[in-house]
């Protein structure tokens, strides 16, 4: 293995996925390198969440090659993939309503991993000051934005190498969107690798190094965030701007 391949945490090739008989993803290919924040973009229904579910082993029917840390995970079960160090924050972002913030965090705890940031509730409260102010608050008594932060924090308690974040900015107040962007940039400085799905170009531009743009389950564009920002034709064709 040369240095370049060691540096690729996640490599997806020829990924096809289906809901029943509906063919949703068509030969999706992408990669995330160590330390990168990569945006998976596209309008409603483009296939962003399906791509993440397929990577996590959550689709009943999917074909293609998914390598994580140099290992083929295309046939692995979701819990095995999670134990290898892939964190996943789905778009429904559920917290345990009857558990406190601290207890929710404990649910996500996994042993430390060599080469990954070792998270503790203390460290997470520094990253999410809001949560630090309410360690005993029940999950069900938090705002949507606070729950969103708690699901991210709980995922980090697993000390992942890579986090899949499904639309972190969706449906939360602008002030939370800002905190999410700050949080992602702090994680990036800590050396975390992140694949985030996002429709909001402004948000993606703030935090991402590169982008893939999906339409109807096909990758239509890939490039650096700067290239995408400068490409009005691609933005108009595949994004809502
Ligand atoms: N459980 C399901 N059963 C059948 N079809 C589904 C299911 N979930 C999604 N789809 C379809 O798969 C396609 C891709 O959906 P997906 O949720 O991956 O898009 P998305 O890019 O995440 O969109 P959004 O921005 O709305 O979250 C859409 O046509 C959608 O209608
Ligand atoms: Mg989605």
């Amino acid at each position: 293995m040369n240095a370049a391949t060691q540096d690729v945490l996640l490599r997806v090739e020829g990924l096809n996925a289906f809901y029943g008989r509906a063919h949703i993803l068509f030969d999706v290919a992408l990669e995330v390198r160590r330390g990168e924040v990569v945006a998976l973009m596209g309008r409603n229904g483009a296939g962003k969440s399906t791509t993440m579910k397929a990577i996590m082993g959550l689709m009943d029917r999917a074909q293609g090659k998914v390598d994580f840390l140099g290992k083929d995970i295309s046939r692995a079960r979701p819990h095995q993939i999670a134990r290898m160090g892939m964190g996943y924050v789905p778009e429904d972002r559920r917290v345990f309503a009857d558990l406190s913030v601290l207890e929710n965090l404990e649910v996500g705890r996994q042993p430390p991993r060599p080469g990954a940031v070792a998270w503790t509730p203390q460290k997470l409260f520094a990253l999410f000051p809001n949560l630090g102010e309410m360690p005993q608050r029940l999950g069900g008594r938090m705002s949507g934005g606070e729950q969103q932060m708690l699901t991210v924090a709980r995922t980090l308690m697993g000390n992942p190498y890579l986090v899949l974040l499904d639309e972190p900015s969706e449906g939360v107040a602008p002030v939370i969107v800002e905190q999410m962007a700050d949080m992602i940039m702090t994680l990036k400085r800590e050396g975390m690798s992140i694949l985030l799905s996002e429709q909001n170009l402004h948000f993606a531009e703030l935090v991402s190094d590169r982008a893939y743009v999906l339409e109807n389950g096909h990758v239509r564009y890939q490039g650096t965030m700067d290239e995408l920002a400068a490409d009005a034709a691609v933005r108009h064709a595949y994004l809502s701007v």
Side-chain angles (χ1 to χ4, degrees):
M1 212 193 281
N2 62 31
T5 49
Q6 272 183 8
D7 228 34
V8 176
L9 277 188
L10 177 71
R11 173 175 287 134
V12 174
E13 282 171 4
L15 183 64
N16 287 266
F18 306 78
Y19 287 112
R21 293 167 72 178
H23 192 168
I24 305 293
L25 298 182
F26 299 84
D27 292 324
V28 167
L30 61 86
E31 54 182 53
V32 181
R33 298 181 207 120
R34 204 173 291 277
E36 264 192 327
V37 177
V38 175
L40 188 58
M41 305 196 66
R43 294 199 173 100
N44 283 323
K48 304 181 294 295
S49 299
T50 305
T51 301
M52 292 194 167
K53 286 184 206 163
I55 292 169
M56 266 326 272
L58 290 163
M59 294 295 292
D60 287 340
R61 206 175 144 210
Q63 298 149 2
K65 202 163 178 308
V66 183
D67 284 349
F68 179 50
L69 304 171
K71 294 196 184 77
D72 179 358
I73 59 162
S74 59
R75 311 221 162 256
R77 309 281 306 146
H79 67 274
Q80 295 171 320
I81 297 171
R83 271 196 226 127
M84 287 175 70
M86 185 152 7
Y88 171 50
V89 183
E91 59 191 339
D92 63 14
R93 51 181 89 127
R94 290 213 197 105
V95 301
F96 296 99
D98 300 338
L99 297 185
S100 70
V101 166
L102 260 177
E103 288 165 339
N104 266 279
L105 291 180
E106 286 305 327
V107 170
R109 189 188 281 274
Q110 288 186 53
R113 274 172 231 290
V117 182
W119 293 98
T120 58
Q122 215 88 26
K123 256 190 108 170
L124 287 165
F125 289 157
L127 186 61
F128 300 98
N130 291 16
L131 299 183
E133 285 164 19
M134 51 173 93
Q136 303 306 332
R137 178 81 51 91
L138 292 183
R141 297 190 165 259
M142 302 168 75
S143 73
E146 289 160 355
Q147 291 180 345
Q148 167 76 320
M149 292 189 171
L150 182 54
T151 54
V152 176
R154 186 178 63 204
T155 299
L156 291 172
M157 282 293 287
N159 306 313
Y161 293 114
L162 171 70
V163 178
L164 312 183
L165 265 183
D166 200 349
E167 296 217 46
S169 81
E170 205 220 341
V172 295
V175 55
I176 303 284
V177 174
E178 256 174 58
Q179 291 176 23
M180 282 289 161
D182 287 346
M183 176 273 293
I184 290 170
M185 286 186 281
T186 305
L187 291 179
K188 185 174 158 60
R189 279 196 296 275
E190 297 253 4
M192 290 278 324
S193 313
I194 298 172
L195 178 65
L196 66 110
S197 98
E198 197 49 69
Q199 294 195 46
N200 179 337
L201 181 67
H202 175 65
F203 183 87
E205 266 176 15
L206 274 178
V207 302
S208 318
D209 302 304
R210 292 190 300 116
Y212 294 87
V213 180
L214 286 172
E215 184 211 36
N216 290 332
H218 297 262
V219 175
R220 300 294 191 193
Y221 179 87
Q222 57 176 301
T224 66
M225 216 55 235
D226 292 342
E227 286 163 353
L228 176 59
D231 195 329
V234 167
R235 292 197 330 259
H236 289 145
Y238 307 123
L239 302 169
S240 310
V241 285

